[in-house]
């Protein structure tokens, strides 16, 4: 599977406002980060969990040994663009740490068992990121 081609298709379908093939549109967010080396915008579709006015996303990378690029980008620059529900706005990313991360991670694993599977595939702690509107 070509991940870049899949992401391109998902982004196009999401922005067109119709169904997104193979995904639940109401669980998708498009997250745009600035490339940590180039500064160029990079948009990544991903699943989110809503917690009041905060969107939670996980940097599981499907259990790969390394963090996904979007996560490394937002660690370098926390300013992000968020597209959800036909709206686009600026936001800030916060990597959860300590007890807050552990409690949130435990809830996400129960709510979405596939992320627990991702955890079994890697030795790295999987980051949980809170996205807030600025």
């Amino acid at each position: 599977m070509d991940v870049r081609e899949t992401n391109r298709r998902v982004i196009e379908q999401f922005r067109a406002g119709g169904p997104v093939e193979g995904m639940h549109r109401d669980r998708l967010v498009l997250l745009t980060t600035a490339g940590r080396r180039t500064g160029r915008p990079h948009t990544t579709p991903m699943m989110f969990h809503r917690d009041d006015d905060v969107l939670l996303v996980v940097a599981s990378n499907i259990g790969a040994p390394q963090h996904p690029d979007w996560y490394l980008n937002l660690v370098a620059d926390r300013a992000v663009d968020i597209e959800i529900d036909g709206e686009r706005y600026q936001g800030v990313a916060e990597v959860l740490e300590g007890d807050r991360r552990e409690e949130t991670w435990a809830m996400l694993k129960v709510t979405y068992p596939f992320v627990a599977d991702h955890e079994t595939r890697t030795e790295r702690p999987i980051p949980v990121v809170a996205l807030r509107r600025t």
Side-chain angles (χ1 to χ4, degrees):
M1 168 175 47
D2 182 349
V3 173
R4 287 185 183 178
E5 177 56 28
T6 299
N7 284 351
R8 186 204 57 75
R9 177 186 49 79
V10 168
I11 292 166
E12 183 179 292
Q13 291 174 347
F14 186 88
R15 287 180 173 160
V20 178
E21 181 184 334
M23 300 191 180
H24 297 282
R25 180 180 184 73
D26 61 340
R27 304 287 343 140
L28 275 177
V29 61
L30 299 186
L31 179 66
T32 302
T33 58
R36 62 195 176 282
R37 291 185 287 257
T38 66
R40 291 191 337 244
H42 295 276
T43 302
T44 306
M46 63 186 69
M47 190 199 94
F48 71 92
H49 176 85
R50 189 180 299 275
D51 185 19
D52 294 323
D53 61 343
V54 173
L55 304 180
L56 299 170
V57 294
V58 296
S60 71
N61 209 12
I62 314 172
Q66 70 280 351
H67 294 306
D69 287 338
W70 65 263
Y71 173 77
L72 299 173
N73 289 344
L74 69 76
V75 166
D77 181 354
R78 294 181 26 190
V80 296
D81 284 337
I82 299 164
E83 292 177 64
I84 186 171
D85 299 331
E87 181 182 13
R88 184 175 184 162
Y89 57 89
Q90 293 179 333
V92 63
E94 173 194 1
V95 178
L96 302 186
E97 297 179 343
D99 289 344
R100 188 159 171 234
R101 186 259 178 209
E102 294 306 316
E103 291 167 7
T104 303
W105 180 240
M107 177 274 297
L108 291 170
K109 289 193 303 184
V110 169
T111 307
Y112 309 101
F114 65 88
V115 297
D117 180 56
H118 295 177
E119 183 178 49
T120 66
R121 298 179 191 182
T122 186
E123 294 182 21
R124 68 181 170 87
I126 295 177
V128 178
V129 179
L131 305 173
R132 290 185 175 74
R133 183 188 297 259
T134 53

